[in-house]
Amino acid sequence: MSAAGPEVLVVAPIRPAQMEALGAAYTLHRLDLADAPEALLAEVGPRVAALVTTGSAGVPAGLLPSLPGLRLIATSSVGTDRIDLAACAERGIVVTNTPDVLTDDVADLALGLILATHRRMVAGDAWVRSGDWGREGPFPLTATLTGRRVGILGLGAIGMAVAERCQAFRMEIGYCSRAPKTVDFAYHAAPIALAGWADILVACLPGGAATRHVIDAGVLAALGPAGALINVARGSVVDETALIEALETGTIATAGLDVFASEPAPDPRLTALPNVTLYPHHASGTVATRDRMAELVVENLAAFFGTGAALTPVALPVSPA
């Protein structure tokens, strides 16, 4: 805890240099390090003006009532599905995120998962390390990417960046979003229609109640026995039970997943499958990107307390009159 500026509650820390910057400018209260969180909240909660968190930590259920003076939540993430935005809107709490900063890294990882699933890169690595190459001979043939149809579910900034990368591999692009966009890609009005068209379905849409299980058993069946699911969005957008069954039964061929319904301990039935490539919710996990995300958190706090206007506020739901 420092001794300057407005009081800020840290639910989850950002990068070390940016934590130092926050400590120099504000009075920090480290909920993430507290031995007795309830006692800390009872003592400082009424004085806290801002909250810093990350996408994976969000704002735990039941925390907001302990912070009656809270004016700002700054999350080091694009996703805000672990923050009760309706409650924030009701109380007039500004929420900021870190858009655009992580677009390229997430898109790179999506392409990496496409390559890994189709060229079986993890299995190939094991084939060499185990000595099977020498004992068993050549590795089994894998699937080409050239000419494949890639269906992007959610054509926002990340979805567009994925599309651009796939085009460089001479893949055909289709998409599904809330409305058609001015792009030269095939538009599909529903996820199941996109899945029926695609060889590879890439989830790039936000999490939350509106997109929960949008990729269900029907969508997976439409994707088909040669199809691949790539998820760099949120675990909640996929019905994971249906996905496990689809992978077990050959309803789809493979999946590449950066996100899971249960993190950091995914369903063991999923982690036991040989036809899925797993990554630990780390698509934005490069030094440069995480540093820039943390910098934007610091900049949002400085702008909010300096001018009253945050730099990257999230649109909050409007309560019906």
Side-chain angles (χ1 to χ4, degrees), residues 75-247:
T75 180
S76 183
S77 64
V78 171
T80 56
D81 47 298
R82 296 189 178 182
I83 300 172
D84 188 341
L85 298 183
C88 291
E90 213 172 282
R91 286 182 45 182
I93 299 169
V94 174
V95 178
T96 67
N97 65 349
T98 56
D100 303 323
V101 176
L102 46 69
T103 297
D104 285 330
D105 277 341
V106 175
D108 287 349
L109 195 277
L111 189 63
L113 288 173
I114 292 172
L115 283 163
T117 51
H118 286 74
R119 300 306 304 272
R120 298 188 61 207
M121 293 175 72
V122 176
D125 178 90
W127 191 263
V128 177
R129 292 177 187 275
S130 67
D132 283 348
W133 189 12
R135 288 190 299 268
E136 306 291 337
F139 189 65
L141 299 180
T142 63
T144 189
L145 293 180
T146 303
R148 290 266 170 164
R149 290 179 167 182
V150 179
I152 298 178
L153 186 53
L155 197 68
I158 292 172
M160 277 298 301
V162 173
E164 290 164 0
R165 284 157 173 76
C166 290
Q167 283 183 302
F169 279 72
R170 300 206 301 271
M171 291 187 271
E172 186 179 350
I173 310 299
Y175 74 101
C176 175
S177 61
R178 284 174 289 186
K181 298 182 180 253
T182 53
V183 293
D184 191 23
F185 305 145
Y187 174 70
H188 300 267
I192 196 166
L194 180 66
W197 172 88
D199 301 308
I200 304 166
L201 184 64
V202 185
C204 297
L205 67 173
T211 59
R212 179 174 171 77
H213 291 183
V214 69
I215 300 173
D216 57 13
V219 170
L220 294 168
L223 186 56
L229 173 68
I230 306 298
N231 189 3
V232 291
R234 283 290 186 268
S236 62
V237 308
V238 177
D239 180 341
E240 197 168 273
T241 299
L243 174 61
I244 292 168
E245 184 176 343
L247 289 164

Side-chain angles (χ1 to χ4, degrees), residues 43-91:
E43 178 189 351
V44 307
R47 305 196 304 269
V48 166
L51 182 154
V52 168
T53 189
T54 61
S56 56
V59 177
L63 179 57
L64 288 181
S66 301
L67 309 173
L70 187 66
R71 298 162 54 201
L72 174 71
I73 295 172
T75 180
S76 183
S77 64
V78 171
T80 56
D81 47 298
R82 296 189 178 182
I83 300 172
D84 188 341
L85 298 183
C88 291
E90 213 172 282
R91 286 182 45 182

